[in-house]
Every structure is written in C-alpha cells, then in structure tokens.
Amino acid sequence: DSSEEDNSRLSMLPHLADLVSYSIQKVIGFAKMIPGFRDLTAEDQIALLKSSAIEIIMLRSNQSFSLEDMSWSCGGPDFKYCVNDVTKVHIGSFVCESRCLWYECMGLFSADRPGVQDHARIEALQDRLCDVLQAYIRIHHPGGRLLYAKMIQKLADLRSLNEEHSKQYRSLSFQPEHSMQLTPLVLEVFGSEVS
Amino acid sequence: KKKDNALLRYLLDKDDN
C-alpha cells in the first residue's frame, strides 16, 4: 500500500538494485568459469542464469550478514540493511567455505528450470558436481554424514525463496515509480521474458 | 526464437580477461 512506512522501506531500492545488478555480473562471471557451462547453448545458459541468479545472490548475501547486529553490511556504515529491510532474504547463517561454491554450482545446473532445453546435459553436469560435493564432504567433514542431505534440502528452501522473490519482484515491477529505479540488467534478468 | 536478453548475451560473450 502507499503508507509512509512502505515508502521509506523502499527508499534504498536504487542502492539495492545497484548491488543486485553488480552481483548478477559476478554470478555470470562465476558461471562462465564452471567447466561445462559455456559448452551449453546460449539459450540454456541464459535460462539457467535467469532462474538461478537470485538464489546464488541470496546465498552470497549471507557472507555479509552479521549475527551480532542482525544486519547486512553492503559497503560502509551508511549502507547497512537490517533484517526488516530485507525480511525475506535471510536464509539462515550458512557456513561459507568452498562447499558453498559447489552448492552454488548445483543450484545453477538444475535441469528443471523454465526454458531449459538440453535437460540431459545439464543433469549430467549437476550429477558430476554432486559427486564432487560428496567427495569434498567426505574429506573435509568426516563426521558430517547428514551434511549432504541437509544441503540438498537447503536447495529446496532456496527455491521457495526464489518463488517468493519472483512474487515480490512482479508486484514491484508493475509499479512504474519503482521499476524505473531498477537497472536494465535487473529488469532483463528478473523480467518474465524467456529466451 | 527471439534474440532478446541482449545484456545477458553481451555479458556471456565478452572476454573476462
């Protein structure tokens, strides 16, 4: 609604849009480094990025989240987001180490994303990553036999957050006064247009 | 197929070095 509280809550939208826009570019750079990604068709690369970018960004945002004051630091004291600013984004404090990277890859290579064509190939890429993640856990977390299963469960949680984000994005982008504050890249990646 | 998503295509194509 148009309450004052609602307006002030969106006052950081331009900065948030910039942050997300920057993060999308990082996600694209990250995806390009994963063996196999660039061998996919351009259409599949685009479909995977459009559907998974927000999940990777949400995962990464946990690295700048402080449990001490329950806020995200996004470049200096002037750019702090408290939990209320971004209520739906926090997904619990992830331990950020290299297993997170494998995890991000696995989310990226989900063959059941909308618009994906070469399902078999993407599934094969994900299977390979699952094997690597399991091996990584065996070596670095010998006692963590349930860790892999828990992480797979978290992928499902990320999906729900992705859906929530899509809903919120849609309602935001229908309001011209808000959508004009987004960047062209954000509009393109989160827009509904499928490649 | 439409040749849209121009920014994504550009970012995917560009050489990162």
Side-chain angles (χ1 to χ4, degrees), chain A residues 123-155:
Chain A
E123 241 167 78
L125 285 167
Q126 194 187 38
D127 284 348
R128 202 178 62 191
L129 288 163
C130 288
D131 291 342
V132 177
L133 178 64
Q134 280 178 303
Y136 181 91
I137 290 173
R138 265 198 306 275
I139 295 163
H140 295 279
H141 301 270
R145 275 190 301 150
L146 292 174
L147 193 57
Y148 179 76
K150 281 183 189 165
M151 291 180 78
I152 298 299
Q153 175 55 41
K154 285 284 179 194
L155 279 180

Side-chain angles (χ1 to χ4, degrees), chain B:
Chain B
K1 289 262 170 230
K2 277 197 294 176
K3 277 282 173 197
D4 288 319
N5 295 304
L7 280 170
L8 268 172
R9 278 176 213 281
Y10 167 74
L11 290 168
L12 282 167
D13 283 345
K14 88 180 173 87
D15 200 351
D16 290 320
N17 303 318

